[in-house]
Amino acid sequence: MNETLVILDFGSQYTQLIARRVRELKVYSRILPYNASFEEIIRDNPKGIVLSGSPSNVYHKKAPLPDQRIFDAGIPILGICYGLQLIAHFYQGKVHKSDHREYGFAKVKIDQKEKLFAGFPSEMVCWMSHGDKLDKLPKGFKRLAHTSSAPIAAIADLKRQIYGVQFHPEVVHTPMGAKLLGNFLFRVCGFKGDWTPKSFVQESIDRIRGQVGKSKVVLGLSGGVDSSVAAVLLHKAIGKQLHCIFVDNGLLRMNEADRVRDVFKKHFKMNLHFAQATDVFLDELHNVSDPEKKRKIIGRVFIEVFQREAKKLGLVPFLAQGTLYPDVIESVSVHGGPSSMIKSHHNVGGLPLNMKFKLVEPLRELFKDEVRAVGRELGLSTEIVDRQPFPGPGLAVRIIGKITRERLEVLRQADRIVLEEIKKAGYYRKVWQSFAVLLPIKSVGVMGDERTYESAVAIRAVTSLDGMTADWARLPDDLLSGMSSRIINEVKGINRVCYDISSKPPATIEWE
């Protein structure tokens, strides 16, 4: 079992970022809600605990508080921002609302370097985001650093190995933040830093074999990064016990089905079952324009087709899914109550309860970039590992309005050209997503001295780290010009090309 760091989430917008920074230092981290039981926190014998920031104030009656037994467990603790204030609160320090809030860059002056600041200069730049300040040291602690507005910006109880910092070492705006986290992990907690894609693959193989034994496992293979990596990892673990089902819903990119067949059936020699269901999906989507209705129909029909194919395999106790760690975190998040639905998601995760599978989720510990790294370790091609995200409902949510075979073919052609040009210009890996959207309007044009009245497409290209927020990509003029020229000249039925310059928020990445 990997050495583990536990991160308790008190609602900070940066909690996932803490986990990612720790993973980058080759230490395995788990995020748990702040109110996780003590038994859950110590389940894997963690070598360290991090207390995240929070929008809350520690002196409020309803302030989120952890199980206080963590402070007496002999496990090193690092509190960040609100986490520092929690430590002070527990050990009788004093936290007050500050007269001068600190948001943004600040200069931290280091008073004592000890283990946490070993190798640091006497002054460093950091990122602050707080309106409270600690102005009385808790019992047993010493001050390690201060700023002009925060008289106590870092504290330590060296005997109990409990540390706290008022700033955020996990953000890129704190240039020496990774070094500070590294000092906590290696100098304080004693981690080895040996969590790598190779070690993950071997541990996963052992875990999968232990879970499924000699039983069959079924996996819905889409050809995307997550399901592809999950499929190859499972195949490496259990070979022919794995049965992959590929549902061709008629809403895929050009030659997508053939590519999946070539990679997984011919190259990896997997049990791959093709379900040709284009007619079923398109019949159900006939005359449907509302995006949510499209998603729900596609999700329902996918389940029906998948269930029918799975039954052909006889007794299959296990269902494998490409669930990633952000999905797991979201399901147990401190924010987990009712929230406004932006759009529903189509995934095998929506399978009904009457399909009595036991779940196998080999990637549920990983972030997206880690999934890609594992894919490379498993020998998947760059074309698959570095593939841009593609929505579960496919081209159905990139055709605004009604879906027909003709409109699908028009969009496939335009989409193919966008990707060809993006790749040729070396921008495919520089942007998060790039694609074409078929609009529900026609406009007047002139082609060959004749008046035309044809469709318009929008090109969408965004930069992002995780898809949660995104900015429109500043593609070169000649690249945009080349895409537009080729689409208008090569795709019959299109005479106008637009470029989407909306960011997320307020827009979403996909149009539907």
Side-chain angles (χ1 to χ4, degrees), residues 171-184:
V171 302
V172 295
H173 304 82
T174 301
M176 298 194 71
K179 183 174 178 60
L180 185 145
L181 290 172
N183 280 348
F184 176 70

Side-chain angles (χ1 to χ4, degrees), residues 172-201:
V172 295
H173 304 82
T174 301
M176 298 194 71
K179 183 174 178 60
L180 185 145
L181 290 172
N183 280 348
F184 176 70
L185 295 172
F186 305 123
R187 292 176 182 269
V188 178
C189 301
F191 281 99
K192 295 175 185 175
D194 56 1
W195 192 70
T196 64
K198 186 174 182 178
S199 67
F200 173 82
V201 168

Side-chain angles (χ1 to χ4, degrees), residues 118-327:
F120 275 65
S122 59
E123 187 175 284
M124 61 175 269
V125 173
C126 71
W127 184 260
M128 291 284 195
S129 180
H130 68 99
D132 301 312
K133 69 175 182 177
L134 172 62
D135 49 20
K136 179 188 173 184
L137 275 170
K139 291 181 180 180
F141 285 77
K142 61 168 67 176
R143 185 177 82 171
L144 298 184
H146 69 279
T147 72
S148 58
S149 296
I152 304 173
I155 61 173
D157 180 328
L158 300 179
K159 185 178 179 181
R160 286 178 288 204
Q161 298 193 91
I162 299 176
Y163 295 79
V165 294
Q166 183 64 76
F167 54 89
H168 289 274
E170 69 273 26
V171 302
V172 295
H173 304 82
T174 301
M176 298 194 71
K179 183 174 178 60
L180 185 145
L181 290 172
N183 280 348
F184 176 70
L185 295 172
F186 305 123
R187 292 176 182 269
V188 178
C189 301
F191 281 99
K192 295 175 185 175
D194 56 1
W195 192 70
T196 64
K198 186 174 182 178
S199 67
F200 173 82
V201 168
Q202 191 53 56
E203 287 187 11
S204 296
I205 289 171
D206 295 340
R207 191 182 309 121
I208 291 165
R209 288 173 177 169
Q211 181 182 3
V212 307
K214 299 295 183 181
S215 300
K216 291 180 183 177
V217 179
V218 66
L219 167 73
L221 180 62
S222 69
V225 178
D226 304 340
S227 68
S228 296
V229 173
V232 177
L233 181 56
L234 283 156
H235 183 67
K236 192 174 181 69
I238 58 174
K240 293 297 183 179
Q241 290 170 240
L242 174 66
H243 291 263
C244 297
I245 296 175
F246 178 84
V247 177
D248 188 348
N249 57 16
L251 307 169
L252 305 173
R253 285 175 158 168
M254 188 167 288
N255 301 322
E256 185 78 2
D258 292 338
R259 185 182 67 82
V260 170
R261 185 183 284 109
D262 288 342
V263 170
F264 296 97
K265 193 173 184 70
K266 293 183 180 179
H267 178 70
F268 283 106
K269 311 295 183 186
M270 292 185 188
N271 287 324
L272 182 60
H273 308 271
F274 259 70
Q276 176 49 257
T278 298
D279 292 344
V280 179
F281 278 89
L282 295 188
D283 286 348
E284 291 280 350
L285 290 167
H286 181 66
N287 280 333
V288 177
S289 296
D290 180 81
E292 270 306 301
K293 286 183 180 177
K294 287 180 187 178
R295 288 176 178 272
K296 287 176 180 175
I297 288 170
I298 293 166
R300 174 178 57 78
V301 177
F302 176 87
I303 289 167
E304 292 169 356
V305 174
F306 186 89
Q307 191 169 17
R308 185 169 62 246
E309 292 299 315
K311 283 182 177 178
K312 294 177 183 178
L313 301 174
L315 179 63
V316 182
F318 292 96
L319 169 69
Q321 294 187 149
T323 308
L324 302 193
Y325 199 42
D327 305 320

Side-chain angles (χ1 to χ4, degrees), residues 228-489:
S228 296
V229 173
V232 177
L233 181 56
L234 283 156
H235 183 67
K236 192 174 181 69
I238 58 174
K240 293 297 183 179
Q241 290 170 240
L242 174 66
H243 291 263
C244 297
I245 296 175
F246 178 84
V247 177
D248 188 348
N249 57 16
L251 307 169
L252 305 173
R253 285 175 158 168
M254 188 167 288
N255 301 322
E256 185 78 2
D258 292 338
R259 185 182 67 82
V260 170
R261 185 183 284 109
D262 288 342
V263 170
F264 296 97
K265 193 173 184 70
K266 293 183 180 179
H267 178 70
F268 283 106
K269 311 295 183 186
M270 292 185 188
N271 287 324
L272 182 60
H273 308 271
F274 259 70
Q276 176 49 257
T278 298
D279 292 344
V280 179
F281 278 89
L282 295 188
D283 286 348
E284 291 280 350
L285 290 167
H286 181 66
N287 280 333
V288 177
S289 296
D290 180 81
E292 270 306 301
K293 286 183 180 177
K294 287 180 187 178
R295 288 176 178 272
K296 287 176 180 175
I297 288 170
I298 293 166
R300 174 178 57 78
V301 177
F302 176 87
I303 289 167
E304 292 169 356
V305 174
F306 186 89
Q307 191 169 17
R308 185 169 62 246
E309 292 299 315
K311 283 182 177 178
K312 294 177 183 178
L313 301 174
L315 179 63
V316 182
F318 292 96
L319 169 69
Q321 294 187 149
T323 308
L324 302 193
Y325 199 42
D327 305 320
V328 178
I329 295 167
E330 196 169 307
S331 69
V332 296
S333 170
V334 67
H335 304 295
S339 60
S340 172
M341 184 180 71
I342 297 172
K343 61 186 178 183
S344 61
H345 289 269
H346 158 62
N347 199 316
V348 185
L351 290 171
L353 294 176
N354 61 5
M355 293 185 73
K356 296 178 181 177
F357 291 112
K358 298 174 185 175
L359 286 180
V360 181
E361 297 174 311
L363 308 180
R364 66 181 281 116
E365 298 176 2
L366 303 182
F367 289 102
K368 191 77 170 189
D369 56 331
E370 294 168 334
V371 173
R372 297 186 197 278
V374 167
R376 294 186 189 97
E377 178 68 29
L378 290 166
L380 276 162
S381 68
T382 299
E383 181 185 1
I384 294 175
V385 169
D386 292 326
R387 187 187 189 208
Q388 294 176 359
F390 186 65
L395 299 181
V397 292
R398 293 180 179 173
I399 293 177
I400 312 302
K402 296 176 183 178
I403 299 166
T404 65
R405 293 176 190 272
E406 294 73 25
R407 297 191 80 202
L408 279 165
E409 187 55 32
V410 167
L411 181 56
R412 280 196 190 95
Q413 294 289 349
D415 179 76
R416 171 183 59 82
I417 291 169
V418 168
L419 290 180
E420 285 177 358
E421 292 297 309
I422 285 279
K423 289 177 180 178
K424 187 169 70 175
Y427 272 81
Y428 186 77
R429 294 179 67 181
K430 293 179 182 178
V431 298
W432 176 260
Q433 277 177 275
S434 49
F435 54 90
V437 179
L438 185 60
L439 305 183
I441 58 171
K442 291 190 174 184
S443 66
V444 174
V446 178
M447 300 177 77
D449 294 327
E450 291 185 5
R451 178 184 182 277
T452 62
Y453 189 60
E454 294 180 333
S455 297
V457 296
I459 295 172
R460 179 73 158 146
V462 298
T463 57
S464 179
L465 292 175
D466 53 17
M468 299 302 292
T469 61
D471 194 14
W472 62 277
R474 274 66 170 175
L475 299 181
D477 292 348
D478 57 349
L479 174 53
L480 290 171
S481 175
M483 287 190 288
S484 175
S485 177
R486 281 194 62 192
I487 290 171
I488 290 172
N489 283 302

Side-chain angles (χ1 to χ4, degrees), residues 44-57:
D44 296 328
N45 297 313
K47 297 186 73 168
I49 296 173
V50 171
L51 311 177
S52 83
S54 174
S56 303
N57 307 104

